Amino acid sequence: MRPCGPSSDGDLCEPDTDRATKVDRTVLRRHTGAKMTHPGATPSDKHMVVIIGSGFGGLNAAKKLKRANVDVKMIAKTTHHLFQPLLYQVATGIISEGEIAPLTRVILRNNKNCQVLLGEVTNIDLDNQTVDSVLLGHTYRTPYDSLIVAAGAGQSYFGNDHFAEWAPGMKTIDDALELRGRILGAFEQAERSSDPERRAKLLTFVVVGAGPTGVEMAGQIAELADHTLKGAFRHIDSTKARVILLDAAPAVLPPMGEKLGKKAAARLEKLGVEIQLGAMVTNVDRNGINVKYQDGREERIECQTKVWSAGVSASPLGKLIADQTGAEVDRAGRLKVLPDLTVPGHPNVFVVGDMALVDGVPGQAQGAIQGARYAAKLIKAELNGANPAAREPFKYFDKGSMATVSKYSAVVKVGPLEFGGFIGWLAWLFLHLIYLVGFKARLTTALSWMGTLVGSHRGQLTITEQQAYARTRIEQLEEIVEGVIEEDPQIAAR
């Protein structure tokens, strides 16, 4: 290893007395025998809890440990806590990204025992109890006594990752802003086009995946075209836009049951959304999408804007842990954990949320929240002398699931109770406001909703070229860099 410096390119760094901010607690512990709460801090003998991820699981774990006699380091690859269920409203111009993505360190500023660190975790060494994370080419090593892994999940293209260039998912703020740019940009381009075929392609929007996100996205694109943009153009009629919802499954909203699925489908069709089930996507490119149906038919749909919400894939950290423990992972990359949410042979390592495969626990926010609180509760109890061998297994309390379909319409399933329509929509509004972080976010979101509901106004319709095309520009730049390196391999060594 070498000292950290401005030119550090990702190697693990040794302490450099002239660059104290690079010194991590592992090295200090080895040399002094004392624990450090952060670089440059005074020695501490407190139990160190490292949390990976700032989503629902990570944030709730940190909050639960606020008054515990521990030091907490949260490592996350974004600076914000994302309220992912409302991403589709950012993509369709109802609310701003700031309302659903507050700064994590501001949320936790009163947690005096917690330090928030920006970086992408690249390795977990279970035997040595360390976590490696990378920020701008510098690699940092952080030791732990207890570890809570809540790194969540990303979009899955089922082995066809090249689809992502033309069909962005709905997992990040970048995804939502990119889709907003592409959706609104398609209308702008259609206004300038004199070619009927090109206009038809520009005004065709395909959403892949008929789960909650796909249903919500398809409904909002339809309402955006039919109400918000109606009469705003002179050469095109936005209400003639075609919205198609595709899924390989035989029903809409399969996890919510046949009754609610049919209710949601009926509402979408009333909005003019075309629903095509039993439809498997075989290819996606700049100009359209190829579909194969269960009866063997194949179809080409010409469209510029595609949205992918068909599947999720757990963080690759799950497989990394599985390789060290022999634990199983499923097709989605979720790690099969023990009844106490730990991994075999490591009772101090908890995996929660979308990364954990637990019978009866869906990949929803509540699973992450309850799992994180359970893990934090065990850590606190065992610091007070509780026996780890006597842990009670994690029990999930199902609070139900819901999806909004359109203005004044949502479907809700709570245990055996199923209902929809206006009452379901009111329940959806209330619940999502409650779970937003901060009074200001709740207030501004409520005001944004009122504008959309009363007059079909959407206050976040600003788009930029970077939002719409940053992904392709970055990929083009990467191809150029790769080409230069192939011509001169010495460049990569510098």
Side-chain angles (χ1 to χ4, degrees):
M1 294 192 298
R2 57 178 177 72
C4 295
S7 61
S8 178
D9 57 7
D11 295 337
L12 293 176
C13 304
E14 289 183 337
D16 182 338
T17 54
D18 293 329
R19 296 183 59 80
T21 57
K22 295 289 187 181
V23 180
D24 213 321
R25 183 171 152 270
T26 303
V27 179
L28 289 172
R29 177 192 287 183
R30 289 173 180 170
H31 287 280
T32 67
K35 298 180 181 180
M36 305 296 287
T37 55
H38 58 81
T42 55
S44 170
D45 291 325
K46 289 184 179 180
H47 187 93
M48 174 60 72
V49 181
V50 171
I51 301 171
I52 300 176
S54 60
F56 290 109
L59 188 66
N60 278 274
K63 287 183 173 181
K64 191 72 174 177
L65 293 168
K66 179 178 180 179
R67 293 181 175 83
N69 187 31
V70 298
D71 283 333
V72 179
K73 284 182 182 282
M74 173 185 284
I75 306 174
K77 61 182 179 181
T78 66
T79 60
H80 56 265
H81 163 70
L82 178 61
F83 191 79
Q84 203 172 86
L86 292 182
L87 264 180
Y88 77 96
Q89 293 198 5
V90 174
T92 53
I94 298 175
I95 59 178
S96 73
E97 62 273 23
E99 290 164 13
I100 64 167
L103 200 64
T104 308
R105 64 177 65 255
V106 171
I107 299 172
L108 297 174
R109 62 183 162 192
N110 292 326
N111 289 45
K112 300 304 182 183
N113 65 343
C114 180
Q115 181 184 21
V116 179
L117 301 170
L118 180 63
E120 182 170 6
V121 173
T122 56
N123 188 52
I124 301 172
D125 187 334
L126 297 180
D127 291 334
N128 292 311
Q129 296 190 182
T130 59
V131 173
D132 293 345
S133 56
V134 175
L135 175 63
L136 297 177
H138 297 278
T139 298
Y140 301 85
R141 176 163 290 173
T142 308
Y144 64 84
D145 297 308
S146 293
L147 176 65
I148 300 176
V149 187
Q155 205 70 59
S156 173
Y157 291 86
F158 308 107
N160 298 290
D161 291 347
H162 58 286
F163 288 0
E165 181 178 358
W166 310 115
M170 280 290 290
K171 289 295 181 182
T172 68
I173 288 293
D174 285 337
D175 290 338
L177 293 177
E178 180 179 12
L179 282 169
R180 184 202 294 175
R182 293 192 180 195
I183 292 167
L184 295 172
F187 285 102
E188 297 293 342
Q189 292 176 66
E191 175 76 357
R192 299 299 301 267
S193 177
S194 57
D195 182 348
E197 290 187 3
R198 183 166 185 268
R199 283 203 306 272
K201 181 183 75 173
L202 289 165
L203 295 178
T204 299
F205 303 86
V206 175
V207 180
V208 182
T213 300
V215 166
E216 291 166 342
M217 195 68 188
Q220 283 307 312
I221 294 175
E223 290 198 329
L224 175 69
D226 289 345
H227 302 292
T228 305
L229 298 180
K230 183 178 179 179
F233 297 95
R234 300 295 173 261
H235 189 52
I236 61 169
D237 181 357
S238 66
T239 65
K240 301 298 183 183
R242 185 184 180 199
V243 182
I244 304 171
L245 179 63
L246 299 175
D247 202 303
V252 172
L253 297 175
M256 300 188 74
E258 182 179 3
K259 176 184 174 182
L260 294 181
K262 287 183 176 179
K263 184 181 287 288
R267 178 57 185 164
L268 287 173
E269 288 173 341
K270 189 174 181 180
L271 291 173
V273 176
E274 302 174 33
I275 301 174
Q276 300 182 16
L277 302 173
M280 180 180 296
V281 175
T282 58
N283 191 42
V284 179
D285 58 38
R286 178 191 295 272
N287 295 311
I289 193 166
N290 292 75
V291 180
K292 184 176 182 179
Y293 298 93
Q294 289 181 344
D295 60 9
R297 290 182 299 116
E298 296 187 12
E299 181 184 7
R300 167 74 176 181
I301 302 174
E302 294 293 322
C303 57
Q304 177 162 301
T305 306
K306 286 80 65 176
V307 183
W308 192 275
S309 61
V312 296
S313 178
S315 165
L317 295 179
K319 185 177 185 306
L320 191 153
I321 293 172
D323 290 342
Q324 297 179 62
T325 62
E328 298 177 26
V329 292
D330 68 359
R331 293 177 59 186
R334 295 179 299 174
L335 187 71
K336 187 173 183 179
V337 295
L338 299 176
D340 62 356
L341 303 185
T342 62
V343 296
H346 299 273
N348 61 331
V349 178
F350 299 85
V351 180
V352 302
D354 290 341
M355 289 185 62
L357 178 60
V358 185
D359 290 339
V361 181
Q364 298 175 349
Q366 273 302 317
I369 292 170
Q370 294 180 34
R373 290 175 176 173
Y374 167 85
K377 181 181 177 181
L378 289 184
I379 291 171
K380 291 196 295 183
E382 287 161 19
L383 285 175
N384 292 325
N387 182 5
R391 291 175 178 174
E392 293 187 3
F394 171 66
K395 293 182 180 179
Y396 174 70
F397 177 67
D398 188 359
K399 296 185 177 181
S401 56
M402 54 181 61
T404 181
V405 185
S406 66
K407 185 190 298 185
Y408 309 133
S409 180
V411 290
V412 179
K413 180 180 176 66
V414 182
L417 181 64
E418 298 180 352
F419 60 97
F422 183 71
I423 295 176
W425 178 77
L426 288 178
W428 182 93
L429 286 180
F430 176 76
L431 184 69
H432 283 71
L433 276 179
I434 290 298
Y435 277 102
L436 280 173
V437 176
F439 173 78
K440 181 178 180 295
R442 297 188 188 105
L443 177 62
T444 55
T445 298
L447 292 174
S448 297
W449 285 350
M450 287 178 62
T452 303
L453 298 174
V454 174
S456 297
H457 172 74
R458 297 176 189 236
Q460 302 296 328
L461 298 178
T462 302
I463 63 173
T464 68
E465 184 178 2
Q466 287 188 0
Q467 288 175 353
Y469 300 110
R471 182 193 301 262
T472 54
R473 298 295 184 267
I474 290 172
E475 290 175 351
Q476 290 170 1
L477 179 60
E478 288 175 346
E479 290 176 0
I480 293 172
V481 171
E482 288 175 1
V484 171
I485 291 175
E486 286 180 2
E487 293 180 2
D488 186 359
Q490 293 299 319
I491 292 177
R494 294 175 188 170

